[in-house]
Amino acid sequence: MSYTTVMKGIVLTAALLITACAQSPQAIKLAPTFAAPTQQNGGQSPVHVRVSDQRANKVLGSRGGAYRETAVITLANDLSLPVEKALSSYMAKMGYDVDSLNPATADLHVIFTSLVYDHPKEDGVGYDMDMSATVEVEARRGNEHYQGRYRIKRNQKFFNAPSGAQNTTLVNELVTEVLESMFSDPKLVAFLQKS
């Protein structure tokens, strides 16, 4: 076998390895879904739901690989609208009178300040993904107001890099989880249930 043939084989093998280690960018469609609420304790309390995206960094993270700086994960759609729609529907099922014209309606403003889904740079056994989401809540009714901050943080290990479909599922579950955590705050729930 000639030197040229050997060199071509080495170059081809190296190119294949680099390609195998590369991850392409991904834009995730946000469409969070909630399980049926275990309690319907809204008591027909009137509430208006608003969601804002005030994240300083719109990139969720990197898929990793040889070119992690370009293998970024972003959202394919606006965060506010699909989250607002899903949250309003969930609260209606909980028994709240959503988008009521009642003058005693509470304004629930949910502000996303952080959403992270990232493969850390460190190499190790398996494939880690760091996940976190932070929301701030401003609830107002007349001269009364309540503020809260809710954060979910976890790390999940995979044997191989998660697929695009897995990434989409995990990001949507993360968004749902941080929103559900708001309703574990008895002070917020009590504020919303006033009429």
Side-chain angles (χ1 to χ4, degrees):
M1 189 177 294
S2 72
Y3 175 79
T4 304
T5 304
V6 171
M7 288 307 294
K8 283 182 181 178
I10 291 172
V11 170
L12 179 60
T13 301
L16 288 171
L17 285 172
I18 289 171
T19 302
C21 293
Q23 297 279 353
S24 58
Q26 184 186 5
I28 288 174
K29 184 176 180 182
L30 198 60
T33 57
F34 293 86
T38 55
Q39 297 181 17
Q40 293 186 338
N41 56 0
Q44 290 304 302
S45 300
V47 64
H48 173 68
V49 179
R50 294 185 294 138
V51 176
S52 296
D53 182 5
Q54 296 184 14
R55 294 174 296 142
N57 187 358
K58 304 301 185 189
V59 174
L60 304 186
S62 171
R63 300 183 74 184
Y67 304 102
R68 61 172 287 112
E69 292 77 14
T70 58
V72 295
I73 305 172
T74 56
L75 295 180
N77 53 343
D78 174 73
L79 180 147
S80 302
L81 293 177
V83 172
E84 187 174 298
K85 182 178 179 181
L87 183 58
S88 295
S89 176
Y90 180 61
M91 291 187 70
K93 291 174 183 174
M94 290 175 72
Y96 289 94
D97 184 7
V98 178
D99 293 332
S100 170
L101 297 176
N102 187 321
T105 297
D107 179 64
L108 177 66
H109 187 192
V110 179
I111 304 161
F112 274 78
T113 57
S114 175
L115 184 60
V116 174
Y117 183 77
D118 185 47
H119 175 60
K121 291 181 180 179
E122 295 80 13
D123 292 327
V125 178
Y127 194 97
D128 288 358
M129 290 303 292
D130 290 332
M131 309 175 206
S132 66
T134 306
V135 296
E136 294 177 2
V137 167
E138 297 174 357
R140 296 185 179 276
R141 182 189 294 103
N143 294 326
E144 296 180 292
H145 74 280
Y146 180 78
Q147 290 182 299
R149 184 174 185 270
Y150 312 94
R151 186 165 194 245
I152 297 293
K153 184 177 182 181
R154 56 190 166 97
N155 176 276
Q156 192 157 339
K157 188 180 288 290
F158 299 87
F159 182 73
N160 293 312
S163 67
Q166 286 176 305
N167 289 336
T168 297
T169 297
L170 289 164
V171 169
N172 277 288
E173 286 177 350
L174 184 66
V175 168
T176 300
E177 189 177 351
V178 75
L179 293 172
E180 287 175 335
S181 73
M182 298 187 312
F183 300 105
S184 298
D185 178 356
K187 291 182 179 179
L188 174 62
V189 172
F191 184 91
L192 294 174
Q193 290 176 351
K194 288 180 184 177
S195 58

